[in-house]
Amino acid sequence: GNSVTQMEGPVTLSEEAFLTINCTYTATGYPSLFWYVQYPGEGLQLLLKATKADDKGSNKGFEATYRKETTSFHLEKGSVQVSDSAVYFCALIPPGITGGGNKLTFGTGTQLKVEL
Amino acid sequence: EPEVTQTPSHQVTQMGQEVILRCVPISNHLYFYWYRQILGQKVEFLVSFYNNEISEKSEIFDDQFSVERPDGSNFTLKIRSTKLEDSAMYFCASMAGVWSNEQFFGPGTRLTVL
């Protein structure tokens, strides 16, 4: 079946540090890959996505590149801010169009804490 | 900007009681979903709904659960007889169509079963 594995948190960084949150997936074919962010007390927001191999998704300074050869979609940001403190979820939708409308399979989430 | 809304934000109920969680998806979206997140755990798929019927459901979505789109705007999740282990954050999501592959989530309803 499909699955997503994320690095465990919490990850604690100082402001302006470089961020990497690792994500690898198991799926047949070429799934669509996503990063969602959950700020304290809020719901899930789509941060970025990539739908085919070698695509790079980017938003708000965050980037992730779809690597088919390593089945990975690591999240990176060059300089984090305190406001980036949140839980980050990697997720996938399997390839193809299904009658189910493509359910998301999530990783366990990685909590990021950014300190001054 | 259109958004998915959910009510209530927090629901407290006694074990064995029925609860209905309500969601208003984005207008003109065709696919609707419920997910749940037990505290500290991953977000899990419960059910997807399209064309007024369930498209897919997970093992979690047993006979105690049901979904309905009663009036063309609301999308509800009913739990007939709540159990302690149903305590979780429940998220509703909607998607315009399979071509977009992007699901928009509501803020969630925190269900506490005592």
Side-chain angles (χ1 to χ4, degrees):
Chain A
N2 302 314
S3 66
V4 176
T5 302
Q6 284 182 242
M7 63 187 289
E8 290 194 15
V11 173
T12 303
L13 296 174
S14 299
E15 202 169 41
E16 298 184 1
F18 184 86
L19 167 72
T20 299
I21 300 178
N22 290 336
C23 170
T24 57
Y25 68 89
T26 301
T28 53
Y30 289 81
S32 295
L33 302 174
F34 305 82
W35 277 100
Y36 281 83
V37 58
Q38 185 179 31
Y39 296 103
E42 299 185 15
L44 297 162
Q45 299 176 28
L46 178 64
L47 181 60
L48 54 84
K49 67 178 183 179
T51 56
K52 59 184 188 292
D54 300 324
D55 264 3
K56 179 184 285 188
S58 61
N59 186 24
K60 299 181 182 178
F62 291 89
E63 292 182 342
T65 301
Y66 190 141
R67 302 283 188 202
K68 180 62 177 175
E69 62 276 12
T70 54
T71 61
S72 64
F73 193 54
H74 304 322
L75 183 68
E76 297 182 335
K77 187 175 185 182
S79 176
V80 293
Q81 305 299 312
V82 172
S83 57
D84 294 326
S85 297
V87 180
Y88 292 81
F89 292 91
C90 187
L92 69 80
I93 287 179
I97 296 174
T98 70
N102 306 339
K103 66 181 181 184
L104 280 159
T105 297
F106 285 89
T108 52
T110 303
Q111 184 175 12
L112 170 66
K113 297 179 182 178
V114 181
E115 301 172 335
L116 290 171
Chain B
E1 185 175 335
E3 58 182 15
V4 177
T5 59
Q6 289 184 244
T7 54
S9 56
H10 191 189
Q11 172 99 39
V12 181
T13 190
Q14 295 292 323
M15 189 170 56
Q17 294 296 303
E18 175 183 286
V19 294
I20 297 176
L21 309 183
R22 302 181 192 279
C23 168
V24 179
I26 294 173
S27 177
N28 297 324
H29 279 196
L30 301 177
Y31 290 85
F32 313 108
Y33 307 82
W34 284 100
Y35 294 84
R36 80 171 185 189
Q37 183 184 29
I38 295 172
L39 187 64
Q41 298 186 23
K42 68 167 65 177
V43 178
E44 302 172 290
F45 168 78
L46 291 178
V47 65
S48 59
F49 192 86
Y50 170 70
N51 200 26
N52 283 322
E53 60 183 23
I54 290 174
S55 305
E56 187 175 356
K57 58 184 181 180
S58 71
E59 292 177 352
I60 303 167
F61 196 89
D62 61 22
D63 292 344
Q64 292 300 312
F65 291 86
S66 63
V67 289
E68 193 178 31
R69 188 156 161 80
D71 56 13
S73 63
N74 290 283
F75 180 51
T76 62
L77 174 69
K78 181 192 291 186
I79 309 174
R80 292 191 182 82
S81 179
T82 51
K83 301 188 282 285
L84 295 176
E85 53 265 38
D86 293 327
S87 295
M89 181 73 87
Y90 289 80
F91 292 106
C92 173
S94 70
M95 184 168 76
V98 289
W99 61 88
S100 77
N101 238 1
E102 182 172 340
Q103 295 180 24
F104 292 82
F105 283 77
T109 293
R110 179 166 297 285
L111 176 64
T112 301
V113 182
L114 302 176

